[in-house]
Amino acid sequence: MTESQTIQSSMVETRKFPPPARFASQAHINSPAEYQRMHRLSIDDPEGYWRETAKSFVWFEPFTRVLKWDPPHAQWFVGGKTNVAYNCLDVQIDRGHGERTAITWEGEPGDGVTLTYRQLRDRVGQCANALKSLGVKKGDIVTLYMPMVPELMIAMLACARIGAPHSIIFGGFSATAIADRVNDAKSRIIVTADGGWRRGSVVPLKQNVDEAVKSCPTVQHVLVLKRCENEIAWTSGRDHWWHELVDSQPAACPPERCDSEDLLFILYTSGTTGKPKGIMHTTGGYMVYTAHSAKYIFDLKPDDVYWCTADIGWVTGHSYITYGPLQNGVNVFMYEGAPNHPDWGRFWDIVQRHRVTIFYTAPTAIRSFMRQGDAIPAKYDMSSLRLLGSVGEPINPEAWMWYHTRIGGERCPIVDTWWQTETGGAMISPLPGCTTLKPGCATKPFFGVDVAVVDQSGKEQPANTGGFLVIRKPWPAMLRGIYGDMERYRNQYWTQVPGFYFTADACRRDEDGNFWLMGRVDDVINISGHRIGTAEVESALVSHPAVAEAAVVGVPHEIKGQALAAFVALKRGQTASDDLKKALLDHVTKEIGAIARPEQIRFSEALPKTRSGKIMRRLLKELASTGEVKGDTTTLEDFGVIASLRESDEG
Ligand code: PRX
């Protein structure tokens, strides 16, 4: 039996929500026929479609060819020279929109900043000049480890302006995780802050950087934003205050003429091995795809106040806080802190005060809000909202319905956008003015996206049969590789189903051509919409002196979607205890970050293995989810192991 034959879908969801007439009447695309016509065109003649689309961007030198496809290596808009920061900022100013608001930011303590497109461009210019003064040159990878403050967006755009690829590390990652990423990218400079506010406390970002840099021989400079005024250590010569270095720079900084295929950024994400992958995105294709998809999926209009609640440290924040929305000239709202600070009404209070029109979040957040009850959102006037979005994991129909009624007032379409760090932009999503929505369904492919549900041999599955989701044609925002490991790029994405890009997601296509995502088929777990490889957590656990062997699996979790369960075999002479459990949890937090902390830890003398020595994760999964093992155990080497795991305490 092939893997795909074992993928079964048991979800039956028949509710349908056509676009509200009021929304459709003002939407960029408002009829299914128009969507079908454009999608057909984009698939039958992708080069023609993208050539036409790329015309509305500023190219310093025109491209000579739309696509060069030498599988699995793609080049888009070949020979074109452009600059993404220029297209985000200067182009808006040249269109006469320099005085429009680009960013509205609110800090967790309640402080705020607004910047027009002109002000943002000037700040980006100053930061770019500061980076240059520290010796940053085109092609140097700059690491950013910052809170959700305007300066994070300014720093990333400054990098783009001078052609220095950024590598943004989510502020929740630990010193060890920073060091791994900085060393992989060989960064010479890190931009950080003294701290960031989270739930009323200071996250000690600079302290984590100081710790990391001890094992990062390449780092020469650390640029530090003063945000929380918490006490920090200082290394003179290496450390520089943002307000001293950046604020004194001239605003003018000519944009670098970047080649369409110059690296724009790398972003580390989890895979099936212990080592995170630096996903590479380049300039021209990413620029065009993020702007184009943001325009149509979020139906962006100049008056929109657009709020994506993601952290810029994840791909959602790259593509749909910074690059996509700014190129569309909207007012991007940014919030620094936690959704429940000072209480669970914070987000809705923001929507009310800032008259947010588009709100894009993750299912895990929606489930957390649901749990707090309907009375909280009901207290706020959210009539400004016109569109909602979801991303990061499949949204369960119950959460979808709650979002639709309690937040969207039954008037806002919901765009459930399926995509990945690797895809660069949303690939399957409703277009809100024309797609009939089904709760829990990401619906239809975006323009230029040729997706299919196939079995392992690449044969398309019939309607309503589960299989692997693959992408059959290259697309402009596709990853160009894994930094420093092109072999892994080929093996991971292009060899599983010959000839196609392998998403590692299970999926089914229904009788109306809608795609229903069913979760990952590899050892990557989606926790609160964040991707964690089980192998990474295993390698963190075995690096603890008490641990001989560890296996980590995903289990369903009411709020997070999935959580981690760890099975740990201790070294001889070690005894299981609550103290050891706590020590292991702290150790994982130190090695990776709090997001990777397992929900359960079970101890045993050994792990269940096949006779050939392979850990039987399927059994562990079953045990962690149900407390029992009823599945096939015929290949198990020693059944006693299961009995002892079952009896061991769960944490
Ligand atoms: O399993 C899919 C899930 O998130 C994975 C990608 O994770 P990451 O690279 O961290 O990017 C998340 C934000 C784009 C996918 O392989 N996923 C993402 N969006 C959805 C989803 N699963 C179902 N529905 C979605 N809308």
Side-chain angles (χ1 to χ4, degrees), residues 36-46 49:
Q36 267 152 20
R37 187 190 66 76
M38 282 177 70
H39 190 257
R40 192 65 284 144
L41 184 77
S42 72
I43 296 300
D44 291 348
D45 178 18
Y49 181 85

Side-chain angles (χ1 to χ4, degrees), residues 28-29 34-35 37-39 41-43 46 48-57 76-77 84 87-88 92 95 283-301 319-320 322-329 424-427 429-432 445-449 475-477:
H28 287 306
I29 295 188
E34 177 65 356
Y35 161 75
R37 187 190 66 76
M38 282 177 70
H39 190 257
L41 184 77
S42 72
I43 296 300
Y49 181 85
W50 291 112
R51 180 181 295 111
E52 208 42 47
T53 302
K55 280 186 182 158
S56 56
F57 296 76
W76 281 89
F77 309 117
V84 187
N87 273 275
C88 287
Q92 303 305 330
R95 285 180 186 152
T283 300
Y286 179 84
M287 171 179 89
V288 170
Y289 192 89
T290 51
H292 193 60
S293 55
K295 172 178 171 181
Y296 287 108
I297 292 173
F298 299 111
D299 192 48
L300 295 178
K301 306 284 164 50
S319 303
Y320 296 118
T322 302
Y323 294 116
L326 289 179
Q327 288 190 80
N328 282 279
M427 303 293 278
S429 169
L431 295 186
F446 187 66
F447 303 132
V449 174
W475 65 101

Side-chain angles (χ1 to χ4, degrees), residues 316 392-394 416-421 505 517 520 526 531:
T316 308
E393 57 176 307
D416 173 1
T417 60
W418 175 87
W419 57 297
Q420 310 178 302
T421 305
D505 273 317
L517 276 302
R520 305 276 308 190
N526 252 309
R531 215 161 119 175

Side-chain angles (χ1 to χ4, degrees), residues 144-399:
L144 312 181
Y145 179 69
M146 297 183 79
M148 277 289 286
V149 291
E151 286 81 358
L152 171 52
M153 198 192 262
I154 289 167
M156 74 197 287
L157 289 163
C159 290
R161 192 150 192 108
I162 60 176
H166 51 74
S167 164
I168 306 185
I169 303 177
F170 169 58
F173 279 120
S174 68
T176 314
I178 301 170
D180 289 347
R181 287 158 176 76
V182 168
N183 287 331
D184 189 72
K186 299 181 192 63
S187 268
R188 285 192 290 117
I189 168 156
I190 302 180
V191 186
T192 188
D194 50 0
W197 290 107
R198 187 84 191 164
R199 221 160 277 128
S201 307
V202 174
V203 181
L205 299 170
K206 170 67 160 61
Q207 192 184 313
N208 292 345
V209 168
D210 287 339
E211 185 60 35
V213 169
K214 286 183 194 157
S215 48
C216 298
T218 54
V219 174
Q220 293 165 352
H221 297 289
V222 179
L223 181 59
V224 189
L225 177 78
K226 190 174 268 188
R227 165 70 188 134
C228 300
E229 315 225 347
N230 49 312
E231 213 153 289
I232 54 170
W234 197 258
T235 305
S236 6
R238 185 199 72 183
D239 296 350
H240 312 268
W241 281 116
W242 178 292
H243 58 269
E244 288 174 5
L245 188 70
V246 178
D247 294 357
S248 58
Q249 297 290 329
C253 175
E256 186 71 39
R257 295 163 72 86
C258 295
D259 187 89
S260 182
E261 282 303 330
D262 278 348
L263 195 58
L264 178 65
F265 65 85
I266 55 178
L267 179 58
Y268 287 88
T269 189
S270 296
T272 49
T273 72
K275 191 175 177 315
K277 310 181 271 196
I279 301 298
M280 298 163 68
H281 283 289
T282 58
T283 300
Y286 179 84
M287 171 179 89
V288 170
Y289 192 89
T290 51
H292 193 60
S293 55
K295 172 178 171 181
Y296 287 108
I297 292 173
F298 299 111
D299 192 48
L300 295 178
K301 306 284 164 50
D303 293 337
D304 275 314
V305 181
Y306 166 91
W307 182 18
C308 166
T309 70
D311 192 289
I312 286 184
W314 306 107
V315 74
T316 308
H318 284 59
S319 303
Y320 296 118
I321 296 181
T322 302
Y323 294 116
L326 289 179
Q327 288 190 80
N328 282 279
V330 298
N331 175 353
V332 176
F333 182 81
M334 246 176 109
Y335 169 59
E336 176 187 31
N340 57 350
H341 189 83
D343 58 50
W344 283 99
R346 182 64 182 262
F347 274 20
W348 319 131
D349 182 45
I350 288 175
V351 168
Q352 172 177 284
R353 279 187 290 110
H354 292 278
R355 306 299 295 158
V356 173
T357 60
I358 301 173
F359 179 76
Y360 186 32
T361 196
T364 181
I366 300 166
R367 288 190 296 267
S368 305
F369 290 123
M370 261 173 93
R371 199 182 214 187
Q372 304 304 319
D374 301 350
I376 299 175
K379 286 197 285 202
Y380 299 90
D381 172 10
M382 293 195 271
S383 57
S384 57
L385 288 174
R386 66 184 194 92
L387 177 65
L388 302 176
S390 172
V391 62
E393 57 176 307
I395 176 165
N396 46 311
E398 196 197 351

